């Protein structure tokens, strides 16, 4: 049985002092919850990772550490980049790969997404590969074709036994930061299609174990319904993860759904 993952993507928010405050608040609230089959992760900016890791480890908080990106290069003349081995040394467990903001603003194409996913997995971390269609693609009925291309390219050549090292997040671009989430039915359909693509590439057992997330304006108001889809195993949460209260309200809905 798959567990749920509720992951908070802080994007370009929270300096390290604000991160200390948010993690403290989150840790306190989580101590009042019985997480059961729900795992919680946060993806702070690079400059917060060491701080968050120390707090999580020191206070034994039930929070997994995630990063928002890394280079597909190991080392060398790549000014401003951070490598997968550097993240692994900080006990980072999850790395977002190919978030739509990286694809759109930092020229991350399918090939680089694939190379980055491989680099993350090689270092023993979990690649959270983000895929999703634009509004125009959706209107032209291309959603499933776009998802198939992005997923197939990202996982091509990965070993069959990669189930624990891979998460795929369906994040329709028109839903990110807009306040308009996909319907639960659309999220389920997309995740089901993604699972079929994984099955055809990596086999039935892996496809059955890989966790698929939905992301895009998730909130406590829609979390339960979104998570009720049999192929939706969690949520990638942007805006609502920036406050401990709103993030925990979503986690509480996930606990209710996975009881
Ligand atoms: C995201 O950017 O990954 C995201 C899901 O953002 P939001 O929840 O703010 O739509």
């Amino acid at each position: 049985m798959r567990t749920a993952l509720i992951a908070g993507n802080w994007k370009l928010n929270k300096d390290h002092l604000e991160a200390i405050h948010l993690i403290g608040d989150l840790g306190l609230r989580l101590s009042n919850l019985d997480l059961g089959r729900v795992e919680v992760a946060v993806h702070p900016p690079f400059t917060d990772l060491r701080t968050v890791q120390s707090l999580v480890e020191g206070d034994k908080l039930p929070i997994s550490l995630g990063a928002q990106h890394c280079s597909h290069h190991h080392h060398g003349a790549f000014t401003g980049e951070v490598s997968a081995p550097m993240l692994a040394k900080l006990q980072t467990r999850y790395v977002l790969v190919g978030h739509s903001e990286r694809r759109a603003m930092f020229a991350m194409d399918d090939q680089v997404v694939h190379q980055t996913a491989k680099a993350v997995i090689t270092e023993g971390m979990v690649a959270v590969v983000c895929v999703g269609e634009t509004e125009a693609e959706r209107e032209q009925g291309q959603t499933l074709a776009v998802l198939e291309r992005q997923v197939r390219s990202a996982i091509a050549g990965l070993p069959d036994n990669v189930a624990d090292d891979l998460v795929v997040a369906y994040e329709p671009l028109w839903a990110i930061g807009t306040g308009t989430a996909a319907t639960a039915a659309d999220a389920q359909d997309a995740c089901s299609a993604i699972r079929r693509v994984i099955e055809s590439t990596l086999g039935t057992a892996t496809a059955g174990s890989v966790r698929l997330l939905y992301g895009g304006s998730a909130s406590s108001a829609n979390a339960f319904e979104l998570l009720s889809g049999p192929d939706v195993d969690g949520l990638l949460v942007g805006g609502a993860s920036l406050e401990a209260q709103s993030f925990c309200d979503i986690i509480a809905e996930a606990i209710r759904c996975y009881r």
Side-chain angles (χ1 to χ4, degrees):
M1 194 181 286
R2 296 186 297 268
T3 54
L5 174 62
I6 306 297
N9 175 13
W10 295 3
K11 308 195 186 194
L12 185 47
N13 295 291
K14 309 289 180 190
D15 61 34
H16 93 282
L17 291 176
E18 293 166 329
I20 290 171
H21 186 258
L22 177 51
I23 291 296
D25 197 354
L26 197 54
L28 212 61
R29 289 170 195 269
L30 288 177
S31 67
N32 294 322
L33 296 175
D34 177 5
L35 288 172
R37 290 198 293 131
V38 177
E39 182 185 353
V40 175
V42 295
H43 296 254
F46 289 134
T47 52
D48 298 346
L49 285 174
R50 182 69 168 137
T51 301
V52 172
Q53 184 251 330
S54 301
L55 290 171
V56 164
E57 200 177 294
D59 294 342
K60 300 195 179 2
L61 302 177
I63 299 172
S64 298
L65 185 62
Q68 299 175 19
H69 170 69
C70 72
S71 171
H72 59 291
H73 298 289
H74 264 216
H75 51 79
F78 303 102
T79 302
E81 289 288 72
V82 166
S83 71
M86 290 171 178
L87 294 178
K89 286 241 158 57
L90 282 180
Q91 274 98 58
T92 303
R93 173 157 165 73
Y94 294 99
V95 184
L96 301 183
V97 177
H99 188 281
S100 60
E101 287 152 16
R102 301 296 315 179
R103 293 183 191 250
M105 292 186 269
F106 302 96
M108 203 170 177
D109 61 20
D110 284 343
Q111 176 67 11
V112 176
V113 169
H114 168 67
Q115 290 171 320
T116 308
K118 252 173 71 178
V120 167
I121 291 169
T122 301
E123 293 306 317
M125 299 179 290
V126 181
V128 183
V129 173
C130 302
V131 297
E133 82 285 5
T134 63
E135 183 151 34
E137 287 165 339
R138 179 183 186 226
E139 281 163 3
Q140 290 158 16
Q142 293 174 3
T143 298
L144 297 187
V146 169
L147 297 180
E148 172 159 9
R149 190 201 75 227
Q150 292 179 333
V151 174
R152 213 174 272 292
S153 158
I155 66 176
L158 293 182
D160 285 359
N161 61 353
V162 80
D164 292 338
D165 311 322
L166 178 71
V167 170
V168 178
Y170 169 55
E171 294 217 300
L173 273 65
W174 47 268
I176 294 180
T178 61
T180 305
T183 63
D186 282 346
Q188 164 56 27
D189 285 352
C191 287
S192 161
I194 289 168
R195 206 176 290 287
R196 284 197 301 274
V197 175
I198 296 172
E199 183 172 20
S200 70
T201 313
L202 301 175
T204 309
T206 298
S209 304
V210 164
R211 287 172 296 171
L212 306 181
L213 312 185
Y214 165 78
S217 298
S219 70
S220 58
N222 57 28
F224 187 90
E225 219 189 329
L226 286 164
L227 289 168
S228 299
D231 286 297
V232 181
D233 307 311
L235 299 169
L236 183 51
V237 183
S241 72
L242 295 177
E243 300 290 339
Q245 172 75 64
S246 50
F247 194 42
C248 280
D249 286 347
I250 293 176
I251 294 164
E253 288 301 297
I255 292 170
R256 193 161 74 85
C257 195
Y258 274 71
R259 194 167 283 154

